[in-house]
Amino acid sequence: MTNIKDRFLKYVSIDTQSDTDTGLTPSTPGQMKFSLQLVEELKEIGLQEVELDDNGYVMATVPANVEEEVPVMGFIAHVDTSPDFTGKHVNPQIIENYDGNDIVLNKEDHIIMETSDFPELKKYVGQTLITTDGTTLLGADDKAGVAEIVTAAEHLINHPEIKHGKIRIGFTPDEEIGAGADHFNVEKFGAEYAYTMDGGEIGELEYENFNAAIAKITVAGRNVHPGYAKNKMRNSIRIANQIISMLPRVETPEHTSGYEGFYHLMSFKGEVEKSELTYLIRDFKRERFEDRKKEMAHLASKVNSEYGSGTVSIEIKDQYYNMCEKVKPVIHIVDQAKKAMEEVGVTPNIKPIRGGTDGARLSFMGLPTPNIFAGGHNFHGRFEFVPLQSMEKAVEVIIKIVELSAK
């Protein structure tokens, strides 16, 4: 059986960053390249019904080895990595028997992962850490999840004494740009429920996530020579800043945690003539989520009343909803994952996802899909790392869930 470390290192060597601007699915060719490799690998280790569609979705089956009827379950991960930070030429470092001190990622550029900034490192003293070289992200989000699912599937194929029902495997593109479920064929997947292996540190088990929307605000200005601009110029940058200041200062990502929602100014492009703002709107409670969207629209209307109709236009689009609505009626699938963790020596940490996964949308498409840890930390940047032992435990959790489902 392929060592999970070697499998993971092979996966992260492929550049699979997604891209919001191409309008394609998958959005980048590297994702299709990786998916093609996964198809060949899944066939080699003995999975059945291995398929890759034109949009880059991979599906496969670990066939049942029991005669009694067992609900079909699935395990899902995404092949893309975040466009927030470069994923080209990933050069992982292997730190064996980590000593608990600061980690020099790149001596030449003086890039150091300091324990004062990342105290969670102390949890992994004595373990093997896989880090970046300080110049790229690592890609544990979600290639750790992909490696864990493939490794668990290979183990089940090689150990028929582990009894289980039919298991479906799914790998999606473009999750990082919010499109991972766009072309996922739930009916074809054919599972009653599934788990995404897309969480963070060991023990995470999540079935609540943000309700999410994106707001795009355009401010129309009027440019006039500044020496002759009195009562004529309308500076869109200044008006855009006025909008920003009208939102609650502490309801932002850097001031919130737990079940607290926020407005997140994700981008700002501005000149006197035109400015564009992009906001993420997030909240766990549906009622409060709707109120936040109304507040954004109200601010646009208020600014228009001051500067004239058409000065500010706003487009708000829902992205996904809190999967809790769809998972709670089948909460036994969360209990099953919790028990599996406990039986392999992992302490479950059930908490809300301050974000979203493919599972959020899939749950509303008829496939209840809680989220399980993949083991990584500090996703989407140069300080990303994953403990090898966390990935190994994730494999054990998958196998134990499969066992429990057949009992």
Side-chain angles (χ1 to χ4, degrees), residues 102 111-122 378 383 385:
D102 295 348
I111 299 171
I112 301 172
M113 182 156 53
E114 299 181 7
T115 56
S116 58
D117 292 327
F118 303 101
E120 66 272 19
L121 284 165
K122 296 286 189 179
N378 307 329
F383 297 107
F385 73 92

Side-chain angles (χ1 to χ4, degrees), residues 108-407:
E108 182 178 332
D109 294 334
H110 196 65
I111 299 171
I112 301 172
M113 182 156 53
E114 299 181 7
T115 56
S116 58
D117 292 327
F118 303 101
E120 66 272 19
L121 284 165
K122 296 286 189 179
K123 298 178 182 180
Y124 304 106
V125 172
Q127 297 191 27
T128 297
L129 304 185
I130 304 176
T131 74
T132 74
D133 68 355
T135 64
T136 70
L137 51 69
L138 179 61
D141 181 13
D142 187 25
K143 288 172 183 172
V146 176
E148 290 153 7
I149 292 170
V150 175
T151 301
E154 184 179 22
H155 185 85
L156 292 169
I157 292 290
N158 292 337
H159 292 271
E161 72 276 9
I162 301 174
K163 301 304 178 184
H164 57 81
K166 182 178 180 179
I167 303 162
R168 291 288 276 161
I169 305 300
F171 299 128
T172 66
D174 294 328
E175 189 270 355
E176 294 290 359
I177 59 173
D182 280 5
H183 302 285
F184 191 99
N185 190 329
V186 170
E187 184 177 356
K188 182 178 181 180
F189 193 61
E192 292 191 22
Y193 61 93
Y195 301 94
T196 46
M197 302 300 297
D198 193 20
E201 68 176 297
I202 186 169
E204 286 188 1
L205 173 57
E206 300 149 327
Y207 66 96
E208 298 176 272
N209 61 274
F210 280 135
N211 295 291
I214 187 167
K216 295 186 177 182
I217 302 172
T218 302
V219 183
R222 182 191 299 131
N223 199 4
V224 178
H225 187 292
Y228 306 91
K230 186 173 181 179
N231 299 324
K232 297 177 181 178
M233 178 185 284
R234 189 167 61 199
N235 191 329
S236 77
I237 301 173
R238 189 177 63 78
I239 297 171
N241 274 290
Q242 181 177 335
I243 294 170
I244 294 169
S245 67
M246 293 168 74
L247 287 166
R249 185 179 64 83
V250 296
E251 293 185 21
T252 61
E254 59 268 38
H255 292 99
T256 54
S257 63
Y259 286 93
E260 297 171 324
F262 57 72
Y263 304 94
H264 173 42
L265 179 59
M266 191 170 67
S267 69
F268 186 149
K269 300 176 183 178
E271 296 178 348
V272 172
E273 191 75 21
K274 181 181 179 182
S275 291
E276 297 175 310
L277 299 84
T278 301
Y279 269 93
L280 300 183
I281 303 170
R282 301 289 188 263
D283 212 289
F284 285 94
K285 293 183 178 180
R286 180 68 78 96
E287 183 179 357
R288 178 60 181 144
F289 172 64
E290 297 298 333
D291 287 343
R292 287 186 183 278
K293 291 189 292 181
K294 291 176 183 177
E295 178 65 15
M296 293 289 287
H298 172 68
L299 291 182
S301 176
K302 191 172 182 179
V303 173
N304 278 332
S305 67
E306 180 178 352
Y307 293 97
S309 176
T311 302
V312 178
S313 60
I314 183 168
E315 178 186 357
I316 301 176
K317 181 180 179 182
D318 287 358
Q319 296 171 296
Y320 52 83
Y321 303 110
N322 190 343
M323 74 170 84
C324 180
E325 293 181 34
K326 301 299 180 181
V327 175
K328 269 194 172 180
V330 288
I331 197 66
H332 69 275
I333 66 178
V334 177
D335 296 336
Q336 181 174 260
K338 179 176 181 287
K339 184 177 180 181
M341 289 186 189
E342 292 169 341
E343 291 200 10
V344 300
V346 173
T347 301
N349 179 15
I350 300 177
K351 64 178 188 178
I353 309 170
R354 289 185 60 80
T357 69
D358 280 338
R361 290 183 60 198
L362 292 173
S363 293
F364 281 85
M365 292 164 62
L367 182 66
T369 310
N371 191 42
I372 294 174
F373 71 91
H377 290 259
N378 307 329
F379 296 143
H380 301 186
R382 68 176 83 244
F383 297 107
E384 185 181 0
F385 73 92
V386 61
L388 176 61
Q389 287 78 3
S390 295
M391 288 197 291
E392 292 171 342
K393 279 296 182 182
V395 173
E396 292 182 36
V397 169
I398 293 171
I399 294 169
K400 183 57 67 172
I401 289 174
V402 167
E403 286 186 88
L404 291 173
S405 71
K407 291 183 179 179

